[in-house]
Amino acid sequence: MTESVKFTLPEDRIPKAWYNIAADLPAPLPPVLHPGTGAPIGPDDLAPLFPMALILQEVSTDREIEIPEPVREIYRQWRPAPLFRARRLEKALQTPAKIYYKYEGVSPTGSHKPNTAVAQAFYNKDAGIHRITTETGAGQWGSSLAFAGAIFGIDIDVYMVRVSFEQKPYRKALMEAFGARCVASPSTETASGRAILEKNPNSTGSLGIAISEAVEMAAQRDDTKYALGSVLNHVLLHQTVAGIEAIEQMEMAGDYPDVLVGCTGGGSNFAGLVNPFLGRQLRGGEKVRVVAVEPAACPSLTRGKYAYDFGDTGHLTPLVKMHTLGSTFVPPGFHAGGLRYHGMAPLVSHLHQLGLIEATAYMQKECFAAGVQFARAEGIVPAPEATHAVKGAIEEALRCKAEGKSETILFNLCGHGHFDMQAYTDYHAGKLTDQSYDESELAMALAGLPSVNE
Amino acid sequence: MTESVKFTLPEDRIPKAWYNIAADLPAPLPPVLHPGTGAPIGPDDLAPLFPMALILQEVSTDREIEIPEPVREIYRQWRPAPLFRARRLEKALQTPAKIYYKYEGVSPTGSHKPNTAVAQAFYNKDAGIHRITTETGAGQWGSSLAFAGAIFGIDIDVYMVRVSFEQKPYRKALMEAFGARCVASPSTETASGRAILEKNPNSTGSLGIAISEAVEMAAQRDDTKYALGSVLNHVLLHQTVAGIEAIEQMEMAGDYPDVLVGCTGGGSNFAGLVNPFLGRQLRGGEKVRVVAVEPAACPSLTRGKYAYDFGDTGHLTPLVKMHTLGSTFVPPGFHAGGLRYHGMAPLVSHLHQLGLIEATAYMQKECFAAGVQFARAEGIVPAPEATHAVKGAIEEALRCKAEGKSETILFNLCGHGHFDMQAYTDYHAGKLTDQSYDESELAMALAGLPSVNE
C-alpha cells in the first residue's frame, strides 16, 4: 500500500455552517464609518447595495452561520475540495517538512471564488434581485459570479480592470459563456469611469476604480445590487468552508499544521483557510503560525498603513479600518491581478494587528519560478495569485530543511492557472519583469488618506 | 434531503485492472499488416516504437489487464472521476429523460488523456526509455504526456499540428510549464515535415503529418520511443477506467443507461466509457444503445471507408483496418482539433462493423450552441471536442421528450474548454463558420488508399 497523497471527504461532510471568527476575537473589529459624518454606520446604510441577509452576516458575532441547503446543493458539484500531501514536491526540495495543500481549483471556474459567489447569488435571488453588478481583477471573481448568476437566473454585469481585460480575453469569454456582460473599466457607462478617463484616457484601471463603477450602477436601481468578491466580512465567512474541511482532512492524515500559508489580495482565500484554525487556537486549542504572502508590488500588509480608508477610488464606499496603500494607489500591472488591491480585508488587517498572523512579500518572478517547480512536481499549474502561496510554502519548507525540523506546512492552492498561461509564456520567454511601485506615488496616496484618521 | 447530482467513489474503487473488450468480441480484430509485404506483423515489428509491455497489451486477448500500482498512485490525484446527474440541463430541456455525464475534466490537464499518458510514461520509464516523441492536435494529448513525463522524469517532444499551435498558444505554454518541448508541425526537424513544407510551405498541418514526424524521430534513437494519444488498442484499454467507474457509479444512482454517447476523434474517450458497458452486453448482460458523435467536417465513421490504411500521412506506420477518409485527407481547421483525424480507432471501427454502435455527425456551430446551453445549466464549459457529445446527448434527450420516454442517457464529458476559449469568443462574436471538407478531395484521398484493399 502506497502512502496517501489525497484526502477526500464524503459529500455529507460539506460543512453545514460557515465559521465566523468574530465570535472568538479577543477584541472586536473597529466599526465601519460613514464617509460624510465619520459616525459608525448601521445595517440600513448598506441596504442599497446588499440584501439584508448578507448585511446581517457582515455584522454578525454568531460563531456559526448556517449554510442554506440550496447553496450546499451547488457546493456539491465540487466540494468537499481535496486536500493533498505534496510528497513529490517535498522530495524535490529534499525537505524534512511535510507539505499539504488545500486545492480550490476544482470548482467550475477554477478558484475559491464560487464559494461566496453561489452564496451571494442565492441571498440576492431570495431577496428578489434581478441583476448584480460587480468588479473583477484577473477575472476569477467575475467568472465565478457569472457562473452563480447562470445557476440562479440573475443577470450579471462585470466591470473588469482594463489591463486584465486586455491581458486575459478568455476570462471575458468564460463570463459570456455563462451569460454575463463584461465591460472594461474605467468605462464610459458611469460617472466614476468618465471622471477617470477625462483625467487619463489611457488608464489601465484598478480594482478601486472598478468597484466605484459597479457600486454606482447598483445604487441607481432597486432591482440591482452589488457584490464584492473579497475584503468584506461576509465574503471571508463564506470562504471558511475551505478551512473547516481542511481541519477534518488533516485529521484524516493524522497530522496538524504547524504553519499555515495563504496569498493575500483582498484576503478571502487566506481567511477562508486560516480562520477556522485560528478559531481553534483562540478557543484554547492548537497553536499555529500563520503567514500571509503578498506581492511586493502591492504590499498592503507589509508596507501599508493601518488606517480608515475608502474601499474604492471614487470614494463611494463607507470607510473601513484596514491596511491600505491609499485608495488612489494604482499598482503596476503585474500578472497576479487578483492581488492588485490597495487595501486588505479589515478582518485580516485586524488579525495582523492582534499579532495572530505574520506577513511577507515576494516579487513576481520568484513566485512564477516556484509555480513552475510546483507544476513539475505536483502536476497542477497554479494561478499567478496562488504562486505566492506556493512560494511562501516552499520558503517555509526550505527553512525547515536548514533548521533540520520536520514541521507540517499547509497552504491554500486557491486556483489553477489555465486562464493565465500568457503569464507562463512570458515567464518562459524571459519577458517577465519585477515591476515595483513608485515610492513617491505611495507616499502621496498615503498622504491622501481621509481626515477621519487625523 | 435534496436529490443527488454527484456520484463519487472512494479512492479504493479506482479500478485495479483495465478492461480489454478483445476478450469478449464475437469476431477478432483484423490483423495489422506490414505496409511492404502486406503480411500480418508481429510484436517485434513494433519494438522500435513502443516498449514491449505496451505492444503485448496491444495484441492481448486477456479480459483484465492489471494496472500497475505506480500508475494507480498517480491516478489517485483525480480519480475516481465524478459522475453527475445533469438535473438542471434536464429541466432546461423539459425532457423526461435522465441525463448523466462522466466528467474527465478533473484531471491535471483537463481531459481524459492523462489516463493513458501516465500509463504509457510508466511503461516507458520501466523499459529504461529517456525520451518520448508524440504528436498532438488540440494539445490535450501533448500536455497530458508532458505532465506524465514530468512525473516520471522522461523528456517529451511534442509535434503539434500547426493550425492548433497558432490557435492555442496556451496549450504550448502548459506543455512548457511541465518541461516538455513543443514544435509546430510540419517542421523542418524531420524528413516527413520537410517533404510536406516543400510541396506546401503554408501547410496548416494535420494529425497524420504530425504522427509521421514523431514516428520518424522515435525510430532513429534507441533511448527514444513514440507514444500515441488515441487510436491504438492499448490506448483505448487505458481509458476503460472511465467506463468501469461509471458502471459502479450508475449502480450508486440506482440506474443503468439505455443510451451511451461519446464524441469520436481517434476513439479513445468514446471506447473508454463505452467498452466496459458493451462488455457486459456481450457477456449476456444489459443491452445498451451506443451513439458515436463525430464532426461533420471530418466524418470518418459516417462517410469514411472501412479499409486498410496508414495511420499517418508520411506512410511510416503499419496498415490498420479502420474507417478512414484516406491518409492524405486534410480536414478544414475547425476548433475541435482533437477530432481532426482521418481515421478511426480500428477497435471502434470494428464495433461499428459488428453493429454494436451507431454513428452520427454534427456541424461545429450547433455543437457550440449545445456547449453554451450545457455551461449555463451545469456550470462547466466543455472542450470543443466534448460539445459533440453534449450535442448528441441533448438530441437523445429531445427525442425522449418527443416520444414521451424517460430513458437514461449517459455521456462522456471528456474535457473542459479552459484552453479553448478563443473558440467560444468566436462563437459569441458570430465568427464561427460551419466549414465543410471538399468532396472531390475526399474522393481523391479515398482513391489513394493502399493497394492491399484491392
Side-chain angles (χ1 to χ4, degrees):
Chain A
M1 181 60 193
T2 51
E3 291 173 298
S4 285
V5 294
K6 185 183 181 186
F7 302 92
T8 318
L9 294 170
E11 201 171 289
D12 62 5
R13 297 307 302 155
I14 294 173
K16 294 197 165 56
W18 292 298
Y19 167 67
N20 182 13
I21 200 170
D24 294 314
L25 287 174
L29 268 179
V32 175
L33 304 182
H34 191 284
T37 65
I41 64 166
D44 287 346
D45 294 303
L46 294 171
L49 292 185
F50 303 104
M52 195 48 70
L54 290 174
I55 295 171
L56 294 178
Q57 290 181 0
E58 187 66 18
V59 298
S60 171
T61 52
D62 294 345
R63 182 170 292 130
E64 297 205 325
I65 293 175
E66 191 187 340
I67 304 178
E69 198 47 45
V71 173
R72 291 185 80 233
E73 190 183 329
I74 309 300
Y75 279 175
R76 287 156 72 201
Q77 188 170 340
W78 72 93
R79 304 211 72 85
L83 183 137
F84 290 99
R85 170 98 181 257
R87 286 188 187 272
R88 292 190 299 258
L89 180 63
E90 290 170 15
K91 207 172 156 192
L93 297 171
Q94 295 183 285
T95 176
K98 289 180 275 184
I99 308 175
Y100 294 86
Y101 58 99
K102 178 74 172 169
Y103 184 40
E104 291 289 330
V106 293
S107 83
T109 56
S111 80
H112 62 295
K113 296 290 188 186
N115 295 332
T116 184
V118 169
Q120 292 192 52
F122 166 78
Y123 288 114
N124 274 285
K125 182 74 180 180
D126 206 42
I129 297 306
H130 295 115
R131 179 184 303 271
I132 303 176
T133 63
T134 197
E135 74 292 327
T136 199
Q140 290 182 336
W141 165 243
S143 54
S144 301
L145 193 64
F147 155 68
I151 299 298
F152 287 105
I154 301 175
D155 291 340
I156 306 291
D157 282 358
V158 182
Y159 294 85
M160 184 168 185
V161 177
R162 186 174 296 274
V163 60
S164 293
F165 185 90
E166 284 162 6
Q167 271 179 0
K168 306 187 182 205
Y170 296 157
R171 277 284 177 190
K172 173 175 179 265
L174 184 59
M175 294 180 223
E176 286 176 349
F178 289 132
R181 198 171 71 92
C182 177
V183 181
S185 166
S187 78
T188 55
E189 293 188 357
T190 66
S192 323
R194 289 189 295 270
I196 298 282
L197 289 172
E198 211 162 285
K199 271 196 258 177
N200 178 8
N202 300 317
S203 169
T204 53
S206 72
L207 274 172
I209 294 168
I211 292 172
S212 294
E213 295 207 274
V215 165
E216 183 183 327
M217 292 304 272
Q220 285 170 11
R221 289 177 56 168
D222 279 350
D223 69 342
T224 302
K225 298 281 181 197
Y226 164 72
L228 193 65
S230 189
V231 179
L232 298 180
N233 299 338
H234 68 268
V235 181
L236 276 52
L237 174 78
H238 300 154
Q239 293 295 351
T240 58
V241 286
I244 296 167
E245 290 175 3
I247 287 174
E248 203 168 329
Q249 289 165 312
M250 290 302 298
E251 265 171 41
M252 284 175 79
D255 217 335
Y256 198 84
D258 299 297
V259 190
L260 293 174
V261 180
C263 63
T264 45
S268 76
N269 93 76
F270 173 81
L273 178 71
V274 158
N275 284 6
F277 286 93
L278 281 180
R280 280 168 79 107
Q281 175 179 323
L282 289 167
R283 295 192 302 277
E286 305 90 332
K287 281 201 162 54
V288 62
R289 246 189 83 219
V290 180
V291 182
V293 184
E294 59 183 13
C298 191
S300 52
L301 276 173
T302 52
R303 293 293 313 279
K305 192 169 162 184
Y306 186 56
Y308 273 101
D309 196 7
F310 291 96
D312 70 324
T313 307
H315 295 181
L316 300 176
T317 69
L319 294 168
V320 290
K321 193 152 190 184
M322 60 180 178
H323 286 82
T324 179
L325 301 163
S327 65
T328 59
F329 178 81
V330 177
F334 57 91
H335 276 285
L339 306 182
R340 292 179 71 246
Y341 184 58
H342 69 273
M344 178 52 57
L347 191 50
V348 173
S349 298
H350 189 57
L351 294 175
H352 191 258
Q353 281 302 110
L354 292 170
L356 291 166
I357 66 171
E358 305 167 22
T360 185
Y362 294 107
M363 303 298 279
Q364 76 170 345
K365 265 160 63 175
E366 58 190 342
C367 291
F368 274 96
V372 167
Q373 181 169 31
F374 182 83
R376 292 185 186 175
E378 296 295 315
I380 299 171
V381 176
E385 293 79 6
T387 62
H388 291 73
V390 172
K391 172 68 177 168
I394 288 178
E395 285 301 313
E396 288 297 326
L398 293 176
R399 176 190 55 75
C400 287
K401 182 180 177 180
E403 295 175 357
K405 288 182 182 165
S406 66
E407 292 180 18
T408 296
I409 301 161
L410 167 62
F411 73 96
N412 199 357
L413 188 69
C414 60
H416 62 59
H418 298 176
F419 294 95
D420 309 282
M421 296 309 295
Q422 186 59 47
Y424 281 91
T425 300
D426 292 350
Y427 173 76
H428 280 112
K431 285 189 202 161
L432 223 58
T433 55
D434 278 337
Q435 291 172 279
S436 196
Y437 53 88
D438 186 310
E439 288 283 355
S440 64
E441 274 182 28
L442 173 59
M444 208 149 63
L446 288 173
L449 286 173
S451 57
V452 69
N453 290 301
E454 285 162 14
Chain B
M1 182 58 195
T2 51
E3 292 173 297
S4 285
V5 294
K6 186 183 179 183
F7 302 92
T8 318
L9 295 170
E11 204 170 288
D12 62 5
R13 298 308 302 156
I14 294 172
K16 293 196 167 56
W18 293 297
Y19 166 66
N20 182 13
I21 200 170
D24 293 315
L25 286 175
L29 269 179
V32 175
L33 305 182
H34 191 284
T37 64
I41 64 166
D44 286 347
D45 294 303
L46 294 170
L49 292 184
F50 304 105
M52 194 47 70
L54 289 174
I55 295 171
L56 294 178
Q57 290 181 1
E58 187 66 20
V59 298
S60 172
T61 51
D62 294 346
R63 181 171 292 131
E64 298 205 326
I65 293 175
E66 193 186 341
I67 305 177
E69 198 48 43
V71 172
R72 290 185 80 232
E73 190 182 330
I74 308 300
Y75 279 175
R76 286 156 73 199
Q77 188 170 338
W78 72 93
R79 305 210 72 87
L83 182 137
F84 291 99
R85 169 97 183 258
R87 286 188 187 274
R88 293 191 297 259
L89 179 63
E90 290 169 15
K91 208 173 155 191
L93 297 172
Q94 295 183 286
T95 176
K98 290 180 274 184
I99 307 176
Y100 294 86
Y101 59 99
K102 178 73 171 171
Y103 185 40
E104 291 289 329
V106 293
S107 82
T109 56
S111 80
H112 61 295
K113 296 290 188 185
N115 295 332
T116 183
V118 170
Q120 293 192 50
F122 166 77
Y123 289 115
N124 273 284
K125 182 73 180 179
D126 206 42
I129 297 305
H130 295 115
R131 178 184 305 271
I132 303 176
T133 63
T134 196
E135 74 292 327
T136 199
Q140 290 182 335
W141 166 243
S143 54
S144 300
L145 192 64
F147 155 68
I151 299 300
F152 287 104
I154 302 176
D155 292 340
I156 306 291
D157 281 358
V158 182
Y159 293 86
M160 185 169 184
V161 177
R162 187 174 295 273
V163 60
S164 293
F165 185 91
E166 284 162 6
Q167 270 178 1
K168 308 189 180 204
Y170 297 157
R171 277 284 177 188
K172 171 174 180 268
L174 184 59
M175 294 179 223
E176 287 176 348
F178 289 132
R181 198 170 71 92
C182 177
V183 181
S185 166
S187 79
T188 55
E189 293 188 356
T190 66
S192 324
R194 288 190 295 270
I196 298 283
L197 288 172
E198 212 162 287
K199 270 197 259 177
N200 179 7
N202 299 318
S203 169
T204 54
S206 71
L207 274 172
I209 295 168
I211 292 172
S212 294
E213 295 207 275
V215 165
E216 182 183 327
M217 292 303 272
Q220 284 169 11
R221 288 176 57 165
D222 278 350
D223 69 342
T224 302
K225 299 280 181 194
Y226 165 71
L228 191 66
S230 190
V231 178
L232 298 181
N233 299 339
H234 68 268
V235 181
L236 275 53
L237 173 79
H238 300 155
Q239 293 295 351
T240 58
V241 286
I244 296 167
E245 290 174 4
I247 287 174
E248 203 168 330
Q249 288 165 312
M250 291 302 299
E251 265 171 40
M252 284 175 79
D255 217 335
Y256 198 84
D258 298 297
V259 189
L260 293 174
V261 180
C263 63
T264 45
S268 76
N269 93 77
F270 173 81
L273 178 70
V274 158
N275 285 5
F277 286 94
L278 280 180
R280 280 168 78 108
Q281 176 178 321
L282 289 168
R283 295 191 303 276
E286 306 89 333
K287 281 202 161 52
V288 63
R289 245 189 84 219
V290 180
V291 182
V293 184
E294 60 183 11
C298 192
S300 52
L301 275 173
T302 52
R303 292 293 314 278
K305 192 169 164 185
Y306 186 56
Y308 272 101
D309 197 7
F310 291 96
D312 70 324
T313 306
H315 297 182
L316 301 177
T317 70
L319 294 169
V320 290
K321 192 151 190 186
M322 61 179 175
H323 285 82
T324 179
L325 301 164
S327 65
T328 60
F329 178 81
V330 178
F334 59 91
H335 276 286
L339 307 182
R340 291 178 71 248
Y341 184 58
H342 69 271
M344 177 53 56
L347 191 50
V348 173
S349 299
H350 189 57
L351 294 174
H352 191 259
Q353 281 302 110
L354 292 170
L356 291 166
I357 66 171
E358 306 167 22
T360 183
Y362 293 106
M363 300 299 279
Q364 76 168 345
K365 265 160 63 177
E366 58 190 341
C367 291
F368 273 96
V372 168
Q373 182 170 31
F374 182 83
R376 292 185 185 175
E378 297 295 314
I380 299 170
V381 176
E385 292 80 7
T387 63
H388 290 72
V390 173
K391 172 67 178 170
I394 288 178
E395 285 302 313
E396 289 297 324
L398 293 177
R399 176 189 57 74
C400 287
K401 183 180 175 179
E403 296 174 358
K405 288 183 181 164
S406 66
E407 293 180 17
T408 296
I409 300 161
L410 167 62
F411 73 97
N412 199 356
L413 189 69
C414 60
H416 61 59
H418 297 175
F419 294 96
D420 308 282
M421 296 310 294
Q422 186 59 48
Y424 281 92
T425 301
D426 291 349
Y427 173 75
H428 280 111
K431 284 189 203 161
L432 223 57
T433 55
D434 279 336
Q435 291 173 278
S436 196
Y437 54 87
D438 186 310
E439 287 283 355
S440 63
E441 274 183 28
L442 173 58
M444 208 149 64
L446 287 174
L449 285 174
S451 56
V452 68
N453 290 300
E454 285 162 15

